Amino acid sequence: MSMFGDGLDAAVQKAFTRPVPKSAGAQMRYLVKQYKGTKAVAQMLRVSQRTVERYVKEQIKKPRADLAARLEREVKARWQPQIRAKAREKASTTGGIVIDTRARLGYTAPIGSTDQDRIRHLTVALPPRYAALLFEAQEQGAGDDRLREIASEALKEVYFQDGGRRAGSLEEVRFTDVEHLEFDL
């Protein structure tokens, strides 16, 4: 099980804000916009172009069961990735990402100043660039080890070093024995 990857997916899932268009007319208008025309939509749905136009203008409101099912399937197939991409984009550019974790955290520093690893519960807002790094790594198929490295680096900078205001000589943050991990956009 990929704890970090699943956590990122769950955060994006929660960030979905706009529900899928419900009425046949709204679904048809959405597809016409996606396909930039009624002809392509008509071919895809195996109906006449005139039928598509009549749904768009709300002249027909109730499709037959088979058409309703095709319509919904096509809308959903395009809707989810688009909304997901928007949620990732927002986190990576402006919103950042919040990590909420209960894990064993500690760090290595120059001799004599090492902090012992201990279980800590942290909720830390990470800047957008770390959201971008996490999502990029995930899209490139990175495993949990790589995602944990990025999260460790982020926690080192934001939490332990407070954005460079303290603990400047930290070498590495250890992030192990993860009991709980959740991301929020």
Side-chain angles (χ1 to χ4, degrees), residues 9 22 33 42 44 54 62 97 102 110 115 121 146 153 162 167 169:
D9 288 342
K22 287 278 179 268
K33 203 168 146 190
M44 177 192 62
R54 289 175 68 203
K62 274 270 176 236
I97 192 167
R102 184 171 160 74
D115 184 16
H121 184 178
R146 178 66 189 124
E153 189 59 35
D162 192 15
S169 58

Side-chain angles (χ1 to χ4, degrees), residues 25-177:
Q27 289 177 337
M28 206 60 93
R29 285 189 291 278
Y30 172 73
L31 288 176
V32 167
K33 203 168 146 190
Q34 290 296 299
Y35 281 90
K36 297 174 180 32
T38 53
K39 190 176 182 182
V41 174
Q43 288 171 342
M44 177 192 62
L45 293 173
R46 301 189 303 278
V47 294
S48 73
Q49 192 171 348
R50 181 79 192 110
T51 299
V52 172
E53 290 162 2
R54 289 175 68 203
Y55 276 105
V56 166
K57 292 178 186 161
E58 300 276 347
Q59 291 167 346
I60 320 178
K61 291 184 175 12
K62 274 270 176 236
R64 298 181 322 267
D66 62 327
L67 176 58
R70 282 199 306 271
L71 190 56
E72 190 160 334
R73 194 173 50 245
E74 294 300 333
V75 168
K76 277 190 174 153
R78 280 154 198 77
W79 189 262
Q80 302 301 31
Q82 199 183 3
I83 301 292
R84 268 197 197 102
K86 280 184 182 157
R88 282 196 188 111
E89 175 69 19
K90 184 173 180 254
S92 300
T93 53
T94 54
I97 192 167
V98 173
I99 183 172
D100 181 86
T101 187
R102 184 171 160 74
R104 184 170 298 281
L105 289 149
Y107 52 82
T108 45
I111 309 280
S113 61
T114 300
D115 184 16
Q116 196 57 45
D117 290 9
R118 67 177 192 264
I119 295 282
R120 303 172 197 241
H121 184 178
L122 299 180
T123 303
V124 181
L126 304 176
R129 74 168 184 282
Y130 284 112
L133 286 170
L134 285 163
F135 286 129
E136 275 167 28
Q138 184 189 31
E139 277 168 24
Q140 290 162 3
D144 258 16
D145 289 345
R146 178 66 189 124
L147 295 172
R148 177 178 310 182
E149 264 175 45
I150 295 168
S152 296
E153 189 59 35
L155 288 172
K156 172 181 151 183
E157 183 194 312
V158 177
Y159 177 77
F160 289 103
Q161 294 179 321
D162 192 15
R165 285 187 282 281
R166 64 168 186 247
S169 58
L170 282 189
E171 288 158 16
E172 170 193 21
V173 167
R174 286 186 301 280
F175 188 174
T176 57
D177 302 337

Side-chain angles (χ1 to χ4, degrees), residues 12-20 79 83-84 86-87 90:
V12 170
Q13 206 72 33
K14 277 192 299 201
F16 280 9
T17 49
R18 291 169 46 223
V20 176
W79 189 262
I83 301 292
R84 268 197 197 102
K86 280 184 182 157
K90 184 173 180 254

